Amino acid sequence: MGLISDLPDQLLLEILSWLPTTKVVATMLLSKQWKFLWKQVPKLYYNYSEHEGKDFSEFVSRSLQLQVAPTLKSLKLSISPYCDSRDVKNWIDLAVSRSVLELEIDLTAAQNPMITALPKSIYTCGTLSCLRLKALVLDDIPEDYLICLSSLNYLYLSVSIQVSADKFIGKLSACAPLLRKTVVQGPVYGDQFLDSMTSYSELKSFTTCLSESCNSRRLSSGNQPGFSSTTHVPECLSTTLQTLEWRDYAETEFDMPVASFLLKNATRLSEAKIFLEYAAGPNEKLRIRTALAKLSRGSPTCHLNFGN
């Protein structure tokens, strides 16, 4: 024990940052030196699977309140089915008050819909550079909310949104001037998908995954708008976008026209990587790949790759 305790506190904090927070807190029992050291760890990871029942919420609340790190570099929360939405919102508010840099909220195991609105404070967090939201059910951002995410450069959304992902990311990206990479998994519809990209002025990488389970492609079954080839070309397509990744691609009345539009107008694109829908058979995949390969590309250096 003496050897590791002889290390500088800063190095110990770096080592502890790689451990789940439950194990970090447990180090307080090792010695006097370690009793308060855990409170200064700037990266926190809470996973409900390491707790039983409702103890998880109490542990997160108490340990977060005892944190004294001047800046919270990272807070990752894998939420328990027993969590109360008010607790989750309080944790986010607390993270914002600690100038959080990276925030991840994973509600995969939660009882949906747990949260339908994120706390107001997150939309004006000037230090937030990375935001990951997984398996959330969200309403649209209220019109009276001020949005200013001046440091955000990475956005990951895996959500079932009441209104459609394009509206949500459109509002966020319009007020995130440094946003460079966006990953979206959720429902998007027709022209709105591309309209949301008009907010990106410096976007370099964009990934989308359209799950059949969210009915994102079943345009004929609802009243969602389709896609028009006259859609205004987002500025980022002709100025900054360099990589495009499309997961669960299927040759539908939405997918093919949008893919054609993107490849034609993304004049600085260096790579377009497309993963075909898993359910497609070998012959179907070959036919779709052939059709995609024939599409016009606005960038002469664009390589079209297939991930499966």
Side-chain angles (χ1 to χ4, degrees):
M1 188 64 212
L3 290 177
I4 192 170
S5 293
D6 290 338
L7 295 174
D9 283 356
Q10 202 58 41
L11 182 55
L12 291 175
L13 290 174
E14 181 63 29
I15 295 172
L16 291 175
S17 293
W18 291 91
L19 298 177
T21 303
T22 49
K23 299 189 184 306
V24 173
V25 174
T27 62
M28 66 184 293
L29 302 176
L30 296 177
S31 68
K32 270 188 177 180
Q33 177 190 1
W34 292 80
K35 187 173 182 180
F36 302 105
L37 190 64
W38 71 271
K39 298 180 181 180
Q40 303 174 49
V41 175
K43 296 181 181 179
L44 305 176
Y45 172 48
Y46 298 94
N47 191 325
Y48 80 94
S49 63
E50 298 175 6
H51 296 261
E52 294 183 3
K54 299 181 180 179
D55 291 343
F56 175 77
S57 291
E58 183 179 355
F59 174 78
V60 175
S61 295
R62 292 186 64 183
S63 58
L64 266 179
Q65 290 169 1
L66 291 172
Q67 277 293 313
V68 294
T71 298
L72 190 56
K73 292 183 178 179
S74 175
L75 174 61
K76 298 181 180 180
L77 291 162
S78 181
I79 304 299
S80 161
Y82 304 101
C83 284
D84 188 290
S85 62
R86 290 170 295 184
D87 287 334
V88 178
K89 291 179 180 179
N90 286 337
W91 300 335
I92 295 174
D93 281 334
L94 189 55
V96 171
S97 71
R98 300 287 174 82
S99 303
V100 65
L101 303 181
E102 179 181 348
L103 180 63
E104 178 177 314
I105 309 295
D106 186 351
L107 291 176
T108 304
Q111 296 177 351
N112 288 329
M114 173 186 281
I115 296 179
T116 58
L118 293 172
K120 195 173 184 178
S121 63
I122 197 172
Y123 297 112
T124 53
C125 183
T127 57
L128 188 64
S129 63
C130 176
L131 177 62
R132 296 185 183 92
L133 303 174
K134 300 181 179 180
L136 272 69
V137 179
L138 296 177
D139 292 324
D140 195 8
I141 303 173
E143 292 295 334
D144 61 339
Y145 273 27
L146 176 64
I147 306 174
C148 182
L149 296 168
S150 55
S151 300
L152 189 67
N153 58 61
Y154 179 89
L155 175 64
Y156 178 99
L157 295 174
S158 172
V159 294
S160 284
I161 302 181
Q162 307 289 2
V163 289
S164 177
D166 45 271
K167 292 183 179 180
F168 187 82
I169 64 175
K171 287 185 177 180
L172 283 186
S173 58
C175 301
L178 298 183
L179 193 61
R180 297 292 184 273
K181 183 172 183 179
T182 299
V183 179
V184 179
Q185 181 174 350
V188 292
Y189 301 100
D191 286 339
Q192 293 176 354
F193 172 74
L194 293 171
D195 287 344
S196 68
M197 296 184 73
T198 60
S199 302
Y200 301 113
S201 59
E202 300 291 336
L203 189 67
K204 292 185 177 180
S205 177
F206 188 83
T207 300
T208 184
C209 177
L210 306 181
S211 171
E212 194 65 54
S213 62
C214 68
N215 293 323
S216 58
R217 297 197 183 95
R218 301 186 185 280
L219 302 182
S220 59
S221 64
N223 296 320
Q224 297 299 338
F227 174 73
S228 167
S229 59
T230 59
T231 298
H232 172 71
V233 179
E235 181 184 354
C236 64
L237 291 185
S238 60
T239 58
T240 59
L241 190 67
Q242 297 174 12
T243 61
L244 172 69
E245 184 173 310
W246 193 316
R247 293 181 175 271
D248 286 345
Y249 178 92
E251 195 177 37
T252 66
E253 58 185 293
F254 170 74
D255 294 42
M256 179 58 84
V258 173
S260 176
F261 183 92
L262 291 174
L263 290 174
K264 180 180 179 181
N265 292 286
T267 55
R268 298 191 63 182
L269 201 63
S270 60
E271 181 183 30
K273 194 168 187 177
I274 299 178
F275 294 82
L276 302 186
E277 190 177 35
Y278 179 77
N283 293 335
E284 179 68 4
K285 286 182 178 181
L286 178 60
R287 187 185 65 78
I288 294 175
R289 287 178 187 140
T290 302
L292 287 169
K294 292 179 179 178
L295 294 177
S296 173
R297 295 175 220 174
S299 171
T301 60
C302 176
H303 295 283
L304 183 60
N305 297 319
F306 298 97
N308 57 350

